[in-house]
Amino acid sequence: MAEGHRQLMLQPPLPLSLPSASKRPCLRPAPRGPGPGSGFPISRYYSPESLLDCAAKAVAEKWAFERVEERFERIPEPVQRRIVYWSFPRNEREICMYSSFQCRGAGEETGATGSGASVGSGTVPGGVTTTGGNAAAGGTGEGLPFRRGIRLLESGCVENVLQVGFHLSGTVTEPASQSDPETVYKVAISFDRCKITSVTCGCGNKDIFYCAHVVALSLYRIRKPDQVKLRLPISETLFQMNRDQLQKFVQYLIAAHHTEVLPTAQKLADEILSSNSEINQVHGAPDPTAGASINDENCWHLDEEQVREQVKQFLSQGGYYGSGKQLNSMFAKVREMLRMRDSNGARMLTLITEQFMADPRLSLWRQQGTGMTEKCRQLWDELGALWVCIVLNPHCKTDEKSCWLRQLKKWSDMDVCPLEDGNYGSELPNITNALPQSSNLNQESLARPRRTVFTRAMEACDLHWQDSHLQRIISSDFYMSPTYQREGESLLFTSQGLPLWLEHVPTACARVDALRSHGYPREALRLAVAIINTLRLQQQRQLEIYKHQKKELLQRGVTTITNLEGWVGHPLDPIGCLFVTLTEACRIEDDNSMDTGDSGDPKPPVYHHVPVSGCQDSGESYLALALEVALMGMGQQRVMPEGLYSQDKVCRNEEQIIGRLQELDLDEVLVQTLRKQCILLLEGGPFSGLGEVIHRESVPMHTFAKYLFSALLPHDTDLAYKLSLRAMRLPVLESTAPSGDVSHPHHGISVVPSRYPRWFTLGHLESLQCELASTMLTAAKGDMLRLRTVLEAIQKNIHSSSLIFKLAQDAFKIATPADCPPDITLLNVALELGLQVMRMTLSTLNWRRREMVRWLVTCATEVGLRALVSILQSWYTLFTPTEATSIVAATVMSHNTILRLSLDYPQREELASCARTLALQCAMKDPQNCALSALTLCEKDHIAFETAYQIVIDAASTGMTYSQLFTIARYMEHRGYPLRAFKLASLAMTHLNLAYNQDTHPAINDVLWACALSHSLGKNELAAIIPLVVKSVHCATVLSDILRRCTMTAPGLAGIPGRRNSGKLMSTDKAPLRQLLDATISAYINTTHSRLTHISPRHYGEFIEFLSKARETFLLAQDGHIQFAQFIDNLKQIYKGKKKLMMLVRERFG
């Protein structure tokens, strides 16, 4: 038989190497045969597979057909047919994987490879596995190629299907739509060893995924193999023809496609007829239907160029427009390929990484010294974690790993390669630290000055899986300690004989993740259980150590941290890895569904208890272990890492783990696990973040404690409160570190003297502390003892006034539901918190201060009369004088407050008396800002009002401004005290100074009002105010306005009892207006000279109008026209150089 895209070479036959048998069901539908005329009857009953089919399936999956040809001199045609028949992919999951985003079905955790993996709802003739049509077509992701392909198949759009050897072709009809007519596309698929190796479609699809037409044709072949015409490779058919038949075949072929193939046919004919041509030097001829060569890489078709283009496009969008989601979907696709043990997983990740490293923003960020965005950092983290999975493949070949290591080093050595901590290199432990198998470690290798996102993957290349103890752990559920242990073996097992795995915890968990990611879920579970047994043993030993050191540590009040790396927020996410591995074993799947990764709101997972395999304790389940290890990891005491990104990652990882824990339905078994672990954490000493003594820079436990509180509260209230109250602490905010405090174990934070270390997420952590307190307050509603305990914890540990205010508001809201009577215990707590906020913010600036004061008055009103009296009497410790008078006392004395409290007369008088006392005290302390409010509050009490007025008079000559005095004077006039208003206005005038050019000064209206008031009171008051006006006001227009108003009406129109009004207009030639007139004329003269000093031509017209107003004022004097004429003449003489201006003056005034 002629070869495919290969040249036939004479070689000795290769030794027969039998591949491992593929997994398959023992029973299958009776074989349909490779096509028409196969001779197999269609049967409704299952029958055992024939030996021919069993052998053909194994060969078709593992051997290139060229090897079969070379191994056997003659292959019977029925055997060839069965090998060709079984060489097409048999699992719809694989088609789905290459035509949609991450898919998840019932068989995901089986760990079987390729065609052996089970997907779902049944088998079709030919022994292939399919997904249920209805399930696949329904649900979400309707626009994805896989879903569309199913619809095309079920709509009967696939026709003319023909399989020639390892080549499948057919036509797929795309139904007409509103915008496009019906279109028929030709589709061709090449395949080899149950993998599609190339696809061609007339639709011209440019995408990472196969188009819907390729999907439809592939699924047709999987679901309806008996309806596919099957022929042997075309070279076999040609071999059976004689010369005449071959010539006729070639000529008919050229005639049918002469426009396309004629030039190629002629070229080939010329080369064949030439004895020296290259084509005649090679035996045989290529056959595209004969399958792949032995040397061809056996992998699924992946359009590398499209992968590059799409990653480049997504990166150029900077994480916006859903590009971040798309890149995460591509990472998920890589993981899916790894789980299916598809070599394209590493290939696709390499393509993605190349584009990430070529991102032009990397060099820009480096040049500018700015950090990348958070979304980009998360993508880079996932990239690094995936490479750790790749290199930790338990069946990875040495040359493959060496190749990856070289590539990783090349990327890592580039200047633009992002660093692991997101900021700068820090001395973190090497991934191979504390490994029993690593004998060549030295002190230098434990720390690297520059750690990139690929460093851990590079370190993981040094790990191997040959350790005999490790191999026994992952290969058997029943591996126990031997009866007779050799030296050192006692360290490898618990006292119950269960195996331990003593390795750096994140590294050990990376192995678990690698096993799970590469489709070995059972092995991953076994190793995860061994790691948890090790953690349990360490926890027990740590408790024993703490018991011996407890007295000393409690006396010192400090502790050191032994954990160089926290497990939560770690780049390898060890706790999340163990939790997911264990819970996946307990997840209840819907067997008739396949999620193609485009769902909007995925359903929350449902779990059930699955007993731990091989465990003597029948009560152990993987679900309980998952909860236990999550609690261990979250409760580990660990130092806050350096850098904004690392600290933010700790918070995000905590939230992720808590989110997963909240998906668990806590039954009795899980509650017992929860209670037991919480008690251990409380007693854990310096090894627990909830121990009695913690390091000053220890990561807070607020988020964790909030979850524990909610989970424990229905089952063990005392434990829930005890644990949460201890978690309330935030020692990093204490004023000074204890004298015995030690520096950061792996970075010298104490080198730079500062009150606080650089906690970039401190604000977020404080808000989490506040949420924990709020949760406890809500739960303790109605329980005065618990409320008092929580309140004390808040007052001791929360140092932010805004957060305490938020707590007070929350407590108030909970205590005063709309449809129930208020809870007085919680109201009192809210009030006490509010009082603390007032004391904390009294001497500091806070933009929410007015809101806080108003809220406190509202809260005190809800509590009752005694609370209001209390804040009024102790106002000086809570409020500024301005707040006390303008907000507190005013609100307390309002009509709404009286109605709200339903006060009787004695109670109203008590409240009013306190308010008046407060007002007078505030007026004495700050008369400038409180005098008016004090007068208002004391209106109904004559003695108090007089006292307040005297305070104003006493303060008027010293600290009060003219605007404050004018305001109080207007108030006095409004209240019916014109003489007092006049006195205050006169005092205000002594503080005022109005320059010649301040004709828009805000005090002008007050001056005009004061003069009008004096004029209305009588000649004496006017005579008293005019000298003050002349002294304070130098603006000519203002003075002329005052003069005009005083001459329009007679003085003394206020109607004050005991005073008579003469009814005569006042003359400008006599006092007091004569003094005002002279001052006005003088002001006009001075202003004129001032304006002429720097006048420009564009202001000439305005100046002429100003002189016109001046003339009106001059003419009020008896000899005013003479004075004005002399004034004009002087101007002409002095400013004769301004010829144009003087010409305008002569034209207007002569």
Side-chain angles (χ1 to χ4, degrees), residues 235-291:
S235 53
E236 284 294 318
T237 306
L238 295 177
F239 185 74
Q240 297 173 14
M241 297 182 183
N242 58 33
R243 185 194 178 287
D244 292 339
Q245 289 173 323
L246 282 171
Q247 182 169 357
K248 182 176 292 188
F249 171 78
V250 172
Q251 288 183 212
Y252 267 99
L253 179 63
I254 293 173
H257 304 284
H258 64 278
T259 56
E260 293 91 0
V261 304
L262 188 56
T264 305
Q266 186 59 54
K267 179 183 177 183
L268 290 174
D270 293 342
E271 291 187 10
I272 290 173
L273 292 175
S274 174
S275 58
N276 296 326
S277 64
E278 183 179 350
I279 199 170
N280 285 322
Q281 304 303 315
V282 180
H283 179 68
D287 179 2
T289 67

Side-chain angles (χ1 to χ4, degrees), residues 271-339:
E271 291 187 10
I272 290 173
L273 292 175
S274 174
S275 58
N276 296 326
S277 64
E278 183 179 350
I279 199 170
N280 285 322
Q281 304 303 315
V282 180
H283 179 68
D287 179 2
T289 67
S293 167
I294 293 175
N295 298 322
D296 288 348
E297 187 178 359
N298 181 227
C299 60
W300 283 78
H301 170 71
L302 180 68
D303 192 331
E304 295 188 0
E305 188 58 35
Q306 283 303 309
V307 173
R308 293 190 187 96
E309 284 299 318
Q310 291 212 12
V311 174
K312 184 177 179 180
Q313 178 185 349
F314 293 147
L315 286 174
S316 67
Q317 294 172 2
Y320 301 104
Y321 311 112
S323 60
K325 180 181 177 182
Q326 297 290 343
L327 288 168
N328 278 316
S329 296
M330 295 182 76
F331 288 145
K333 181 59 64 180
V334 171
R335 285 194 179 272
E336 184 185 1
M337 291 175 174
L338 296 180
R339 190 159 44 247

Side-chain angles (χ1 to χ4, degrees), residues 80 173 287 308 331 333 408 445 479 490 701 705 822 834 1038 1047:
Q80 289 189 43
T173 304
D287 179 2
R308 293 190 187 96
F331 288 145
K333 181 59 64 180
L408 289 167
S445 68
Y479 177 42
S490 60
M701 297 281 115
V1038 176
T1047 57

Side-chain angles (χ1 to χ4, degrees), residues 28 259 358 522 571 574 635 882 902 914:
R28 53 178 283 278
T259 56
R522 299 304 309 172
T882 306
S902 304
C914 290

Side-chain angles (χ1 to χ4, degrees), residues 13 83 114 204 257 327 333 346 463 578 788 945 955 970 1017 1041 1063:
I83 293 175
H257 304 284
L327 288 168
K333 181 59 64 180
L463 303 178
L578 291 177
R788 178 57 54 184
F945 186 81
R970 286 177 180 265
L1017 290 175
D1041 194 8

